[in-house]
Amino acid sequence: MAAEGQTSGLQRRVNDLQEELAVKYKKDAEEANTKLELTTQVLTLKGQLEESTTLVATLKASLVAAQEREADLSAKVTDLMSDNELMRVEVESLRDMLTKAEERARAAEAENVALVDRIVKEKDAAAAQINEMNALVELLQNQLKVRDNAEAAGVGVGDGGDPASAASAASVLSTPSTYHGMLQSLPSSVRVRVPPPGGDASCNAVRFGDVDRTFLVGFSDGGIKVFDNATGDEKRVLHAPGAALGLDTCGEWVLAGLGDKSVGLWSMKSGRLRQRLLGHGGVVHAVRFCHGGRGCVSGGADRCLRIWDISRPTYACR
């Protein structure tokens, strides 16, 4: 009985130890699982930390690039502001220049109007003088006829002649000396007769050369003929794109106002059209060289007087 009791006690002891060992193994297994989970979490967090570090480095690089772009844009904005200020100053200067140019244009327009009025008055005065000269020439012609008739009849004009003729002679003697000088310079016969052009072309303008012994005739068909003043021989024909209404020459060059609203400039030597000056709004009736042949002035039906600088290739008009 005593042995059975010891065996039973030992068996209980073994069972208790096995239970304790099982509890210990279970606890160790739980702790191992816990360590494994913690290790897995640590590895996961380490990976996330590395990704965060990489992301932070990328963001830092992007931030540096953004700061550089900001600095570049700031510099560009500063340059643009400076350029804008310069442009503003230039615009103000251009406005001032435009205002002054407008004032000069208005003054030039007023001068042109005054010049046109003066030219019109001078032309009216010249026309009046021409009319007086024509009347005087007609009077002289009548007196010559009376004298010829008196001589043919053997009667002197001064003694016993026609009283009307004597009165006419007295009126001629009382004519101002200026008209006497003009009359003495008038030719008594036709020196040169220019043949008319073919077709229906008419003569629009005549101009004697101030330098050489030539005179120019402009026709409605666009032809400009140059004649020798002494012999009447035709020296050259200049072809114009429109009817020649006004002529002038300085020896080397020929200037013509044309019916197509332009001014033509020809070389007398080659006979070629050098340049057409455009700007008139109507046909050009009058042209003249000025400034020693370096410029010219033109007037047309648009009631404008234009001054051209023909010494430069641009042929500027003012």
Side-chain angles (χ1 to χ4, degrees):
M1 292 293 291
E4 291 179 357
Q6 292 179 350
T7 301
S8 176
L10 290 172
Q11 186 65 36
R12 286 196 298 273
R13 181 64 174 168
V14 168
N15 290 335
D16 293 336
L17 291 174
Q18 287 179 346
E19 290 178 357
E20 291 177 0
L21 186 60
V23 171
K24 184 178 180 181
Y25 283 161
K26 184 178 180 181
K27 186 177 180 181
D28 291 340
E30 290 177 354
E31 290 178 354
N33 289 331
T34 302
K35 289 180 179 180
L36 181 60
E37 291 177 357
L38 291 174
T39 301
T40 301
Q41 291 178 0
V42 168
L43 293 175
T44 301
L45 292 175
K46 187 176 181 181
Q48 292 177 354
L49 180 61
E50 291 177 353
E51 291 178 356
S52 299
T53 303
T54 303
L55 181 60
V56 168
T58 303
L59 292 175
K60 285 183 178 180
S62 299
L63 179 60
V64 172
Q67 290 176 347
E68 292 176 353
R69 286 196 299 271
E70 182 182 3
D72 187 26
L73 290 175
S74 178
K76 289 182 178 179
V77 168
T78 302
D79 293 339
L80 288 174
M81 291 177 65
S82 177
D83 293 341
N84 187 31
E85 181 64 21
L86 291 175
M87 290 181 65
R88 187 186 65 79
V89 174
E90 291 180 357
V91 167
E92 292 296 331
S93 177
L94 288 174
R95 285 179 178 174
D96 294 339
M97 292 175 61
L98 182 59
T99 301
K100 293 179 180 178
E102 290 177 349
E103 293 176 354
R104 289 196 298 269
R106 287 193 292 269
E109 184 178 359
E111 292 178 359
N112 290 341
V113 172
L115 182 58
V116 169
D117 292 339
R118 182 172 62 82
I119 291 175
V120 170
K121 292 178 181 178
E122 290 177 354
K123 285 189 175 182
D124 292 340
Q129 291 181 357
I130 291 174
N131 291 332
E132 292 179 1
M133 289 179 62
N134 289 334
L136 189 58
V137 169
E138 185 178 355
L139 178 61
L140 284 176
Q141 289 176 347
N142 293 331
Q143 290 174 355
L144 289 174
K145 290 179 181 179
V146 171
R147 187 190 65 179
D148 293 339
N149 294 332
E151 290 178 353
V155 180
V157 177
D159 50 342
D162 186 4
S165 300
S168 299
S171 66
V172 172
L173 292 175
S174 63
T175 304
S177 60
T178 303
Y179 288 139
H180 281 296
M182 292 181 179
L183 290 174
Q184 291 175 359
S185 65
L186 290 176
S188 59
S189 62
V190 177
R191 296 178 56 188
V192 176
R193 186 180 298 276
V194 176
D200 297 331
S202 59
C203 174
N204 290 336
V206 178
R207 177 69 175 173
F208 281 88
D210 297 331
V211 179
D212 53 356
R213 297 171 55 84
T214 61
F215 67 94
L216 295 84
V217 181
F219 298 101
S220 60
D221 61 353
I224 301 174
K225 293 186 177 183
V226 183
F227 296 93
D228 186 275
N229 192 18
T231 64
D233 295 335
E234 183 180 306
K235 299 179 62 175
R236 187 174 299 281
V237 177
L238 309 177
H239 297 285
L245 303 177
L247 293 173
D248 196 14
T249 177
C250 63
E252 183 180 359
W253 303 102
V254 174
L255 196 66
L258 304 177
D260 64 349
K261 306 178 184 180
S262 68
V263 178
L265 181 66
W266 284 265
S267 170
M268 181 71 85
K269 182 177 180 180
S270 65
R272 293 182 178 179
L273 179 63
R274 175 183 177 184
Q275 183 66 26
R276 290 180 64 193
L277 309 178
L278 304 176
H280 278 286
V283 296
V284 183
H285 291 289
V287 290
R288 284 294 183 271
F289 282 104
C290 59
H291 303 298
R294 294 181 291 106
C296 66
V297 60
S298 60
D302 57 355
R303 300 177 62 84
C304 289
L305 191 67
R306 295 183 179 271
I307 302 175
W308 307 85
D309 183 0
I310 58 177
S311 63
R312 295 184 296 175
T314 53
Y315 301 99
C317 175
R318 57 185 175 89

